[in-house]
Structures are given as structure tokens and as C-alpha cells.
Amino acid sequence: EVQLQASGGGLVQPGGSLRLSCTASGSALDRYHIGWLRQGPGKEREWVSAVNVGGTTFYSDSLKGRFAVSRDNAKNTVYLQMNVLTPEDTALYYCAAVSGEYYRGTTFSDPLLYDFWGQGTQVTVSS
């Protein structure tokens, strides 16, 4: 069973950038599709992005162009590069995993899809 650790959050000014990391332990990351989701204050959990076991990336339409997800299987880590951040991006960001063996689909936006979750890392965008 994989355990996920999200890190890299913090306080950033509007227009700034952050790179989040999701590091796996307990199992090889290359067996899993990885998603990034977020939950802002008073908001429902929202899917942000995903990268499948083959390295294909997927994005929420509202975030495409500002965020980029990538994976480094050798480091057992998935990254989320976030650029041109706005206060609306303030949220607790989670990484989550679903086995590539059991899920062969091409949509990753449903939070219920994911079996394993990290603890979240806080991103606050404020001047």
C-alpha cells in the first residue's frame, strides 16, 4: 500500500509561483495514477490535475496553462508547478493515488476515484 506525503506549500504573493511535491513510500509510484486536488476555505474539494502511469497529464479546464504536473518515478515523486497564483488558489492541496492496474480510464476528476491520499499541504496566496 502506498503512502503519500505532500509538501512545498506556503505563503506566496499574487502572481508568484510554487512547486508542490508528492512523495510516495511503501510502494513504487510508477504503479499509480496520481491526482492533485484542493479544498479552499468554505469550498468543496476540487480536482486540479492528474498524471497517469504513462506520464500523460490532465488538467482542470479552469487551471490549464497556469499549472503543470510531472512525475519522476526514479525519485518516487510527482510535482505540481503552479504559476501566476491568485488568492482564489488559496487552498489545502492534496495528492492522491489510484492503482494503474485497477483503473484503466482516462478521466481523473472524481475525488471518489482515489484510494490513497496524502495529508495535504497549505497554499496561501496573499499580499
Side-chain angles (χ1 to χ4, degrees):
E1 180 172 306
V2 67
Q3 290 87 45
L4 302 175
Q5 177 80 33
S7 61
L11 175 64
V12 62
Q13 291 188 343
S17 298
L18 277 177
R19 188 177 78 160
L20 306 183
S21 298
C22 176
T23 302
S25 60
S27 184
L29 189 69
D30 60 7
R31 297 174 54 194
Y32 296 89
H33 310 301
I34 302 296
W36 286 97
L37 302 95
R38 68 184 184 182
Q39 188 162 15
K43 298 180 180 179
E44 293 186 355
R45 192 165 293 185
E46 174 189 19
W47 175 71
V48 172
S49 180
V51 56
N52 70 8
V53 294
T56 301
T57 57
F58 304 83
Y59 299 95
S60 167
D61 286 344
S62 64
L63 299 172
K64 193 180 298 184
R66 292 196 299 123
F67 289 15
V69 63
S70 60
R71 65 191 304 155
D72 186 338
N73 290 331
K75 295 183 178 179
N76 248 18
T77 301
V78 169
Y79 303 99
L80 182 69
Q81 177 68 42
M82 306 186 297
N83 300 320
V84 196
L85 288 163
T86 75
E88 288 68 40
D89 296 314
T90 295
L92 189 60
Y93 283 72
Y94 299 89
C95 60
V98 57
S99 168
E101 178 180 356
Y102 296 120
Y103 182 68
R104 304 298 179 93
T106 57
T107 59
F108 294 91
S109 59
D110 186 351
L112 296 177
L113 172 67
Y114 299 94
D115 297 316
F116 307 99
W117 291 77
Q119 86 292 355
T121 185
Q122 179 66 39
V123 172
T124 302
V125 184
S126 175
S127 56

PDB file of all heavy atoms in Angstrom, residues 44-76:
ATOM      1  N   GLU A  44     -15.962  23.144  -1.711  1.00  0.00           N
ATOM      2  CA  GLU A  44     -15.870  21.701  -1.861  1.00  0.00           C
ATOM      3  C   GLU A  44     -14.503  21.327  -2.425  1.00  0.00           C
ATOM      4  O   GLU A  44     -13.806  22.154  -3.029  1.00  0.00           O
ATOM      5  CB  GLU A  44     -16.970  21.198  -2.788  1.00  0.00           C
ATOM      6  CG  GLU A  44     -18.364  21.356  -2.210  1.00  0.00           C
ATOM      7  CD  GLU A  44     -19.427  20.710  -3.083  1.00  0.00           C
ATOM      8  OE1 GLU A  44     -19.089  20.233  -4.177  1.00  0.00           O
ATOM      9  OE2 GLU A  44     -20.591  20.683  -2.655  1.00  0.00           O
ATOM     10  N   ARG A  45     -14.143  20.071  -2.224  1.00  0.00           N
ATOM     11  CA  ARG A  45     -12.879  19.593  -2.790  1.00  0.00           C
ATOM     12  C   ARG A  45     -12.969  19.638  -4.312  1.00  0.00           C
ATOM     13  O   ARG A  45     -13.952  19.225  -4.911  1.00  0.00           O
ATOM     14  CB  ARG A  45     -12.593  18.179  -2.301  1.00  0.00           C
ATOM     15  CG  ARG A  45     -11.193  17.703  -2.603  1.00  0.00           C
ATOM     16  CD  ARG A  45     -10.846  16.481  -1.800  1.00  0.00           C
ATOM     17  NE  ARG A  45     -10.764  16.784  -0.377  1.00  0.00           N
ATOM     18  CZ  ARG A  45     -10.371  15.904   0.539  1.00  0.00           C
ATOM     19  NH1 ARG A  45     -10.019  14.674   0.186  1.00  0.00           N
ATOM     20  NH2 ARG A  45     -10.333  16.235   1.805  1.00  0.00           N
ATOM     21  N   GLU A  46     -11.906  20.133  -4.923  1.00  0.00           N
ATOM     22  CA  GLU A  46     -11.869  20.385  -6.362  1.00  0.00           C
ATOM     23  C   GLU A  46     -10.681  19.674  -6.977  1.00  0.00           C
ATOM     24  O   GLU A  46      -9.546  19.768  -6.475  1.00  0.00           O
ATOM     25  CB  GLU A  46     -11.738  21.899  -6.599  1.00  0.00           C
ATOM     26  CG  GLU A  46     -11.541  22.317  -8.018  1.00  0.00           C
ATOM     27  CD  GLU A  46     -11.189  23.794  -8.153  1.00  0.00           C
ATOM     28  OE1 GLU A  46     -10.760  24.398  -7.153  1.00  0.00           O
ATOM     29  OE2 GLU A  46     -11.349  24.329  -9.264  1.00  0.00           O
ATOM     30  N   TRP A  47     -10.914  18.976  -8.075  1.00  0.00           N
ATOM     31  CA  TRP A  47      -9.815  18.342  -8.787  1.00  0.00           C
ATOM     32  C   TRP A  47      -9.028  19.388  -9.557  1.00  0.00           C
ATOM     33  O   TRP A  47      -9.590  20.277 -10.191  1.00  0.00           O
ATOM     34  CB  TRP A  47     -10.357  17.285  -9.738  1.00  0.00           C
ATOM     35  CG  TRP A  47      -9.307  16.659 -10.591  1.00  0.00           C
ATOM     36  CD1 TRP A  47      -8.325  15.788 -10.203  1.00  0.00           C
ATOM     37  CD2 TRP A  47      -9.109  16.867 -11.992  1.00  0.00           C
ATOM     38  NE1 TRP A  47      -7.545  15.432 -11.274  1.00  0.00           N
ATOM     39  CE2 TRP A  47      -8.010  16.083 -12.392  1.00  0.00           C
ATOM     40  CE3 TRP A  47      -9.772  17.635 -12.947  1.00  0.00           C
ATOM     41  CZ2 TRP A  47      -7.547  16.047 -13.699  1.00  0.00           C
ATOM     42  CZ3 TRP A  47      -9.321  17.601 -14.252  1.00  0.00           C
ATOM     43  CH2 TRP A  47      -8.217  16.816 -14.623  1.00  0.00           C
ATOM     44  N   VAL A  48      -7.704  19.243  -9.536  1.00  0.00           N
ATOM     45  CA  VAL A  48      -6.811  20.203 -10.178  1.00  0.00           C
ATOM     46  C   VAL A  48      -6.142  19.595 -11.405  1.00  0.00           C
ATOM     47  O   VAL A  48      -6.183  20.169 -12.498  1.00  0.00           O
ATOM     48  CB  VAL A  48      -5.728  20.669  -9.170  1.00  0.00           C
ATOM     49  CG1 VAL A  48      -4.670  21.521  -9.862  1.00  0.00           C
ATOM     50  CG2 VAL A  48      -6.363  21.406  -8.002  1.00  0.00           C
ATOM     51  N   SER A  49      -5.519  18.431 -11.208  1.00  0.00           N
ATOM     52  CA  SER A  49      -4.687  17.878 -12.260  1.00  0.00           C
ATOM     53  C   SER A  49      -4.411  16.420 -11.948  1.00  0.00           C
ATOM     54  O   SER A  49      -4.641  15.956 -10.821  1.00  0.00           O
ATOM     55  CB  SER A  49      -3.367  18.663 -12.319  1.00  0.00           C
ATOM     56  OG  SER A  49      -2.519  18.162 -13.318  1.00  0.00           O
ATOM     57  N   ALA A  50      -3.907  15.708 -12.958  1.00  0.00           N
ATOM     58  CA  ALA A  50      -3.502  14.325 -12.754  1.00  0.00           C
ATOM     59  C   ALA A  50      -2.441  13.948 -13.779  1.00  0.00           C
ATOM     60  O   ALA A  50      -2.345  14.563 -14.856  1.00  0.00           O
ATOM     61  CB  ALA A  50      -4.697  13.382 -12.861  1.00  0.00           C
ATOM     62  N   VAL A  51      -1.677  12.944 -13.414  1.00  0.00           N
ATOM     63  CA  VAL A  51      -0.731  12.345 -14.357  1.00  0.00           C
ATOM     64  C   VAL A  51      -0.893  10.834 -14.243  1.00  0.00           C
ATOM     65  O   VAL A  51      -0.904  10.278 -13.142  1.00  0.00           O
ATOM     66  CB  VAL A  51       0.724  12.808 -14.078  1.00  0.00           C
ATOM     67  CG1 VAL A  51       1.161  12.517 -12.660  1.00  0.00           C
ATOM     68  CG2 VAL A  51       1.681  12.192 -15.085  1.00  0.00           C
ATOM     69  N   ASN A  52      -1.059  10.185 -15.392  1.00  0.00           N
ATOM     70  CA  ASN A  52      -1.282   8.741 -15.331  1.00  0.00           C
ATOM     71  C   ASN A  52       0.041   7.989 -15.326  1.00  0.00           C
ATOM     72  O   ASN A  52       1.125   8.583 -15.377  1.00  0.00           O
ATOM     73  CB  ASN A  52      -2.226   8.287 -16.437  1.00  0.00           C
ATOM     74  CG  ASN A  52      -1.624   8.355 -17.836  1.00  0.00           C
ATOM     75  OD1 ASN A  52      -0.421   8.614 -17.999  1.00  0.00           O
ATOM     76  ND2 ASN A  52      -2.441   8.121 -18.837  1.00  0.00           N
ATOM     77  N   VAL A  53      -0.035   6.668 -15.242  1.00  0.00           N
ATOM     78  CA  VAL A  53       1.185   5.867 -15.125  1.00  0.00           C
ATOM     79  C   VAL A  53       2.065   6.007 -16.353  1.00  0.00           C
ATOM     80  O   VAL A  53       3.282   5.825 -16.268  1.00  0.00           O
ATOM     81  CB  VAL A  53       0.864   4.383 -14.856  1.00  0.00           C
ATOM     82  CG1 VAL A  53       0.208   4.216 -13.490  1.00  0.00           C
ATOM     83  CG2 VAL A  53      -0.010   3.793 -15.951  1.00  0.00           C
ATOM     84  N   GLY A  54       1.469   6.348 -17.474  1.00  0.00           N
ATOM     85  CA  GLY A  54       2.244   6.520 -18.696  1.00  0.00           C
ATOM     86  C   GLY A  54       2.832   7.909 -18.855  1.00  0.00           C
ATOM     87  O   GLY A  54       3.576   8.156 -19.805  1.00  0.00           O
ATOM     88  N   GLY A  55       2.509   8.813 -17.935  1.00  0.00           N
ATOM     89  CA  GLY A  55       3.042  10.167 -17.999  1.00  0.00           C
ATOM     90  C   GLY A  55       2.140  11.170 -18.693  1.00  0.00           C
ATOM     91  O   GLY A  55       2.504  12.350 -18.799  1.00  0.00           O
ATOM     92  N   THR A  56       0.974  10.738 -19.163  1.00  0.00           N
ATOM     93  CA  THR A  56       0.034  11.671 -19.770  1.00  0.00           C
ATOM     94  C   THR A  56      -0.577  12.553 -18.681  1.00  0.00           C
ATOM     95  O   THR A  56      -0.937  12.057 -17.616  1.00  0.00           O
ATOM     96  CB  THR A  56      -1.076  10.926 -20.513  1.00  0.00           C
ATOM     97  OG1 THR A  56      -0.489  10.103 -21.518  1.00  0.00           O
ATOM     98  CG2 THR A  56      -2.038  11.903 -21.178  1.00  0.00           C
ATOM     99  N   THR A  57      -0.690  13.834 -18.993  1.00  0.00           N
ATOM    100  CA  THR A  57      -1.175  14.784 -17.989  1.00  0.00           C
ATOM    101  C   THR A  57      -2.585  15.264 -18.310  1.00  0.00           C
ATOM    102  O   THR A  57      -2.994  15.321 -19.477  1.00  0.00           O
ATOM    103  CB  THR A  57      -0.234  15.985 -17.889  1.00  0.00           C
ATOM    104  OG1 THR A  57      -0.123  16.599 -19.187  1.00  0.00           O
ATOM    105  CG2 THR A  57       1.158  15.565 -17.430  1.00  0.00           C
ATOM    106  N   PHE A  58      -3.308  15.631 -17.267  1.00  0.00           N
ATOM    107  CA  PHE A  58      -4.684  16.057 -17.377  1.00  0.00           C
ATOM    108  C   PHE A  58      -4.878  17.258 -16.455  1.00  0.00           C
ATOM    109  O   PHE A  58      -4.298  17.294 -15.360  1.00  0.00           O
ATOM    110  CB  PHE A  58      -5.637  14.928 -16.945  1.00  0.00           C
ATOM    111  CG  PHE A  58      -5.438  13.645 -17.702  1.00  0.00           C
ATOM    112  CD1 PHE A  58      -4.441  12.745 -17.332  1.00  0.00           C
ATOM    113  CD2 PHE A  58      -6.227  13.345 -18.798  1.00  0.00           C
ATOM    114  CE1 PHE A  58      -4.242  11.563 -18.021  1.00  0.00           C
ATOM    115  CE2 PHE A  58      -6.038  12.161 -19.500  1.00  0.00           C
ATOM    116  CZ  PHE A  58      -5.045  11.278 -19.115  1.00  0.00           C
ATOM    117  N   TYR A  59      -5.703  18.195 -16.902  1.00  0.00           N
ATOM    118  CA  TYR A  59      -5.888  19.419 -16.129  1.00  0.00           C
ATOM    119  C   TYR A  59      -7.351  19.834 -16.105  1.00  0.00           C
ATOM    120  O   TYR A  59      -8.085  19.650 -17.074  1.00  0.00           O
ATOM    121  CB  TYR A  59      -5.076  20.570 -16.727  1.00  0.00           C
ATOM    122  CG  TYR A  59      -3.604  20.318 -16.737  1.00  0.00           C
ATOM    123  CD1 TYR A  59      -2.969  19.807 -17.853  1.00  0.00           C
ATOM    124  CD2 TYR A  59      -2.842  20.584 -15.611  1.00  0.00           C
ATOM    125  CE1 TYR A  59      -1.620  19.551 -17.858  1.00  0.00           C
ATOM    126  CE2 TYR A  59      -1.474  20.339 -15.600  1.00  0.00           C
ATOM    127  CZ  TYR A  59      -0.875  19.819 -16.730  1.00  0.00           C
ATOM    128  OH  TYR A  59       0.476  19.566 -16.719  1.00  0.00           O
ATOM    129  N   SER A  60      -7.712  20.451 -14.992  1.00  0.00           N
ATOM    130  CA  SER A  60      -8.979  21.155 -14.940  1.00  0.00           C
ATOM    131  C   SER A  60      -8.944  22.287 -15.966  1.00  0.00           C
ATOM    132  O   SER A  60      -7.935  22.984 -16.094  1.00  0.00           O
ATOM    133  CB  SER A  60      -9.190  21.732 -13.536  1.00  0.00           C
ATOM    134  OG  SER A  60     -10.253  22.648 -13.522  1.00  0.00           O
ATOM    135  N   ASP A  61     -10.028  22.440 -16.707  1.00  0.00           N
ATOM    136  CA  ASP A  61     -10.054  23.474 -17.752  1.00  0.00           C
ATOM    137  C   ASP A  61      -9.772  24.856 -17.193  1.00  0.00           C
ATOM    138  O   ASP A  61      -9.160  25.699 -17.859  1.00  0.00           O
ATOM    139  CB  ASP A  61     -11.418  23.473 -18.446  1.00  0.00           C
ATOM    140  CG  ASP A  61     -11.589  22.283 -19.369  1.00  0.00           C
ATOM    141  OD1 ASP A  61     -10.573  21.643 -19.710  1.00  0.00           O
ATOM    142  OD2 ASP A  61     -12.742  21.980 -19.729  1.00  0.00           O
ATOM    143  N   SER A  62     -10.192  25.104 -15.977  1.00  0.00           N
ATOM    144  CA  SER A  62     -10.031  26.441 -15.399  1.00  0.00           C
ATOM    145  C   SER A  62      -8.591  26.737 -15.004  1.00  0.00           C
ATOM    146  O   SER A  62      -8.237  27.899 -14.786  1.00  0.00           O
ATOM    147  CB  SER A  62     -10.937  26.599 -14.179  1.00  0.00           C
ATOM    148  OG  SER A  62     -10.546  25.697 -13.164  1.00  0.00           O
ATOM    149  N   LEU A  63      -7.752  25.707 -14.951  1.00  0.00           N
ATOM    150  CA  LEU A  63      -6.377  25.896 -14.484  1.00  0.00           C
ATOM    151  C   LEU A  63      -5.336  25.623 -15.560  1.00  0.00           C
ATOM    152  O   LEU A  63      -4.149  25.898 -15.351  1.00  0.00           O
ATOM    153  CB  LEU A  63      -6.098  24.974 -13.296  1.00  0.00           C
ATOM    154  CG  LEU A  63      -6.977  25.211 -12.077  1.00  0.00           C
ATOM    155  CD1 LEU A  63      -6.754  24.116 -11.050  1.00  0.00           C
ATOM    156  CD2 LEU A  63      -6.697  26.571 -11.478  1.00  0.00           C
ATOM    157  N   LYS A  64      -5.794  25.077 -16.669  1.00  0.00           N
ATOM    158  CA  LYS A  64      -4.858  24.743 -17.742  1.00  0.00           C
ATOM    159  C   LYS A  64      -4.108  25.989 -18.180  1.00  0.00           C
ATOM    160  O   LYS A  64      -4.668  27.042 -18.366  1.00  0.00           O
ATOM    161  CB  LYS A  64      -5.624  24.144 -18.910  1.00  0.00           C
ATOM    162  CG  LYS A  64      -4.765  23.464 -19.951  1.00  0.00           C
ATOM    163  CD  LYS A  64      -5.623  22.896 -21.073  1.00  0.00           C
ATOM    164  CE  LYS A  64      -6.574  21.840 -20.581  1.00  0.00           C
ATOM    165  NZ  LYS A  64      -7.330  21.231 -21.702  1.00  0.00           N
ATOM    166  N   GLY A  65      -2.813  25.826 -18.323  1.00  0.00           N
ATOM    167  CA  GLY A  65      -1.977  26.944 -18.742  1.00  0.00           C
ATOM    168  C   GLY A  65      -1.216  27.580 -17.603  1.00  0.00           C
ATOM    169  O   GLY A  65      -0.167  28.175 -17.820  1.00  0.00           O
ATOM    170  N   ARG A  66      -1.742  27.451 -16.387  1.00  0.00           N
ATOM    171  CA  ARG A  66      -1.028  28.012 -15.233  1.00  0.00           C
ATOM    172  C   ARG A  66      -0.343  26.926 -14.405  1.00  0.00           C
ATOM    173  O   ARG A  66       0.656  27.188 -13.754  1.00  0.00           O
ATOM    174  CB  ARG A  66      -1.986  28.785 -14.333  1.00  0.00           C
ATOM    175  CG  ARG A  66      -2.542  30.048 -14.929  1.00  0.00           C
ATOM    176  CD  ARG A  66      -3.157  30.931 -13.863  1.00  0.00           C
ATOM    177  NE  ARG A  66      -4.266  30.284 -13.169  1.00  0.00           N
ATOM    178  CZ  ARG A  66      -4.303  30.113 -11.844  1.00  0.00           C
ATOM    179  NH1 ARG A  66      -3.310  30.513 -11.075  1.00  0.00           N
ATOM    180  NH2 ARG A  66      -5.359  29.528 -11.277  1.00  0.00           N
ATOM    181  N   PHE A  67      -0.906  25.734 -14.424  1.00  0.00           N
ATOM    182  CA  PHE A  67      -0.375  24.644 -13.617  1.00  0.00           C
ATOM    183  C   PHE A  67       0.220  23.572 -14.540  1.00  0.00           C
ATOM    184  O   PHE A  67      -0.273  23.361 -15.654  1.00  0.00           O
ATOM    185  CB  PHE A  67      -1.473  24.011 -12.766  1.00  0.00           C
ATOM    186  CG  PHE A  67      -1.967  24.861 -11.625  1.00  0.00           C
ATOM    187  CD1 PHE A  67      -1.689  26.216 -11.540  1.00  0.00           C
ATOM    188  CD2 PHE A  67      -2.728  24.291 -10.618  1.00  0.00           C
ATOM    189  CE1 PHE A  67      -2.142  26.985 -10.483  1.00  0.00           C
ATOM    190  CE2 PHE A  67      -3.200  25.046  -9.549  1.00  0.00           C
ATOM    191  CZ  PHE A  67      -2.909  26.397  -9.482  1.00  0.00           C
ATOM    192  N   ALA A  68       1.232  22.907 -14.047  1.00  0.00           N
ATOM    193  CA  ALA A  68       1.848  21.818 -14.799  1.00  0.00           C
ATOM    194  C   ALA A  68       2.213  20.691 -13.845  1.00  0.00           C
ATOM    195  O   ALA A  68       2.879  20.925 -12.827  1.00  0.00           O
ATOM    196  CB  ALA A  68       3.081  22.308 -15.533  1.00  0.00           C
ATOM    197  N   VAL A  69       1.795  19.485 -14.187  1.00  0.00           N
ATOM    198  CA  VAL A  69       2.092  18.315 -13.362  1.00  0.00           C
ATOM    199  C   VAL A  69       3.123  17.455 -14.088  1.00  0.00           C
ATOM    200  O   VAL A  69       3.142  17.381 -15.320  1.00  0.00           O
ATOM    201  CB  VAL A  69       0.801  17.509 -13.082  1.00  0.00           C
ATOM    202  CG1 VAL A  69       0.199  16.957 -14.358  1.00  0.00           C
ATOM    203  CG2 VAL A  69       1.055  16.411 -12.069  1.00  0.00           C
ATOM    204  N   SER A  70       4.003  16.854 -13.304  1.00  0.00           N
ATOM    205  CA  SER A  70       5.019  15.973 -13.874  1.00  0.00           C
ATOM    206  C   SER A  70       5.359  14.905 -12.848  1.00  0.00           C
ATOM    207  O   SER A  70       5.051  15.044 -11.667  1.00  0.00           O
ATOM    208  CB  SER A  70       6.273  16.767 -14.263  1.00  0.00           C
ATOM    209  OG  SER A  70       6.837  17.403 -13.126  1.00  0.00           O
ATOM    210  N   ARG A  71       5.990  13.833 -13.333  1.00  0.00           N
ATOM    211  CA  ARG A  71       6.376  12.782 -12.406  1.00  0.00           C
ATOM    212  C   ARG A  71       7.813  12.378 -12.662  1.00  0.00           C
ATOM    213  O   ARG A  71       8.275  12.386 -13.812  1.00  0.00           O
ATOM    214  CB  ARG A  71       5.438  11.586 -12.494  1.00  0.00           C
ATOM    215  CG  ARG A  71       5.433  10.814 -13.794  1.00  0.00           C
ATOM    216  CD  ARG A  71       4.261   9.810 -13.833  1.00  0.00           C
ATOM    217  NE  ARG A  71       4.280   8.899 -12.709  1.00  0.00           N
ATOM    218  CZ  ARG A  71       3.218   8.284 -12.216  1.00  0.00           C
ATOM    219  NH1 ARG A  71       2.026   8.476 -12.760  1.00  0.00           N
ATOM    220  NH2 ARG A  71       3.320   7.458 -11.186  1.00  0.00           N
ATOM    221  N   ASP A  72       8.500  12.020 -11.583  1.00  0.00           N
ATOM    222  CA  ASP A  72       9.856  11.492 -11.648  1.00  0.00           C
ATOM    223  C   ASP A  72       9.811  10.165 -10.895  1.00  0.00           C
ATOM    224  O   ASP A  72       9.952  10.130  -9.666  1.00  0.00           O
ATOM    225  CB  ASP A  72      10.834  12.474 -11.013  1.00  0.00           C
ATOM    226  CG  ASP A  72      12.282  12.038 -11.170  1.00  0.00           C
ATOM    227  OD1 ASP A  72      12.516  10.827 -11.381  1.00  0.00           O
ATOM    228  OD2 ASP A  72      13.175  12.880 -11.066  1.00  0.00           O
ATOM    229  N   ASN A  73       9.607   9.097 -11.623  1.00  0.00           N
ATOM    230  CA  ASN A  73       9.447   7.793 -10.975  1.00  0.00           C
ATOM    231  C   ASN A  73      10.723   7.351 -10.257  1.00  0.00           C
ATOM    232  O   ASN A  73      10.657   6.644  -9.253  1.00  0.00           O
ATOM    233  CB  ASN A  73       9.016   6.749 -11.995  1.00  0.00           C
ATOM    234  CG  ASN A  73       7.593   6.974 -12.476  1.00  0.00           C
ATOM    235  OD1 ASN A  73       6.749   7.509 -11.751  1.00  0.00           O
ATOM    236  ND2 ASN A  73       7.324   6.565 -13.708  1.00  0.00           N
ATOM    237  N   ALA A  74      11.866   7.776 -10.760  1.00  0.00           N
ATOM    238  CA  ALA A  74      13.124   7.414 -10.109  1.00  0.00           C
ATOM    239  C   ALA A  74      13.208   7.993  -8.696  1.00  0.00           C
ATOM    240  O   ALA A  74      13.834   7.418  -7.812  1.00  0.00           O
ATOM    241  CB  ALA A  74      14.296   7.884 -10.947  1.00  0.00           C
ATOM    242  N   LYS A  75      12.557   9.148  -8.509  1.00  0.00           N
ATOM    243  CA  LYS A  75      12.536   9.788  -7.194  1.00  0.00           C
ATOM    244  C   LYS A  75      11.244   9.504  -6.443  1.00  0.00           C
ATOM    245  O   LYS A  75      11.030  10.039  -5.355  1.00  0.00           O
ATOM    246  CB  LYS A  75      12.729  11.300  -7.340  1.00  0.00           C
ATOM    247  CG  LYS A  75      14.086  11.697  -7.890  1.00  0.00           C
ATOM    248  CD  LYS A  75      14.242  13.217  -7.931  1.00  0.00           C
ATOM    249  CE  LYS A  75      15.633  13.589  -8.431  1.00  0.00           C
ATOM    250  NZ  LYS A  75      15.805  15.069  -8.511  1.00  0.00           N
ATOM    251  N   ASN A  76      10.374   8.696  -7.052  1.00  0.00           N
ATOM    252  CA  ASN A  76       9.082   8.378  -6.424  1.00  0.00           C
ATOM    253  C   ASN A  76       8.298   9.643  -6.073  1.00  0.00           C
ATOM    254  O   ASN A  76       7.624   9.709  -5.042  1.00  0.00           O
ATOM    255  CB  ASN A  76       9.282   7.535  -5.163  1.00  0.00           C
ATOM    256  CG  ASN A  76       8.765   6.121  -5.324  1.00  0.00           C
ATOM    257  OD1 ASN A  76       8.560   5.632  -6.426  1.00  0.00           O
ATOM    258  ND2 ASN A  76       8.544   5.446  -4.204  1.00  0.00           N
TER     259      ASN A  76
END
